[in-house]
Amino acid sequence: LYPLLNRLKNAEILAYKWMESTSGPPRKYFRLTDKGRVFYSLLEMTWNELSNGVEAVTQKTNQESNNEAK
């Protein structure tokens, strides 16, 4: 997980800050940057397109199977 978080930080999609912890060592807290929010929006749109495409194909396949069974 940390190598991925580091790559996203290097790509300026994430930023982090260190915070002291009451139970253990300091911790990194990550947040989306403005660039990260744009990236996330594009990723979400792409996911929705893919999901809708898979759903359309699945429904078409199910309808064809139901028609053949009749």
Side-chain angles (χ1 to χ4, degrees):
L1 180 61
Y2 287 105
L4 174 60
L5 291 171
N6 238 354
R7 277 185 253 139
L8 292 172
K9 179 190 70 73
N10 291 340
E12 299 176 350
I13 292 171
L14 293 178
Y16 70 86
K17 65 179 178 177
W18 287 98
M19 292 186 69
E20 292 297 323
S21 171
T22 57
S23 59
R27 298 174 187 202
K28 276 185 187 177
Y29 287 85
F30 289 87
R31 65 172 179 80
L32 281 175
T33 62
D34 290 339
K35 183 178 178 180
R37 284 184 192 81
V38 171
F39 177 76
Y40 178 79
S41 293
L42 294 172
L43 191 61
E44 187 175 33
M45 284 186 341
T46 302
W47 173 258
N48 288 332
E49 289 174 9
L50 177 63
S51 176
N52 291 337
V54 169
E55 185 175 345
V57 168
T58 303
Q59 286 179 352
K60 184 177 180 181
T61 302
N62 286 340
Q63 289 171 355
E64 290 172 356
S65 295
N66 290 338
N67 290 338
E68 290 175 5
K70 290 181 181 181

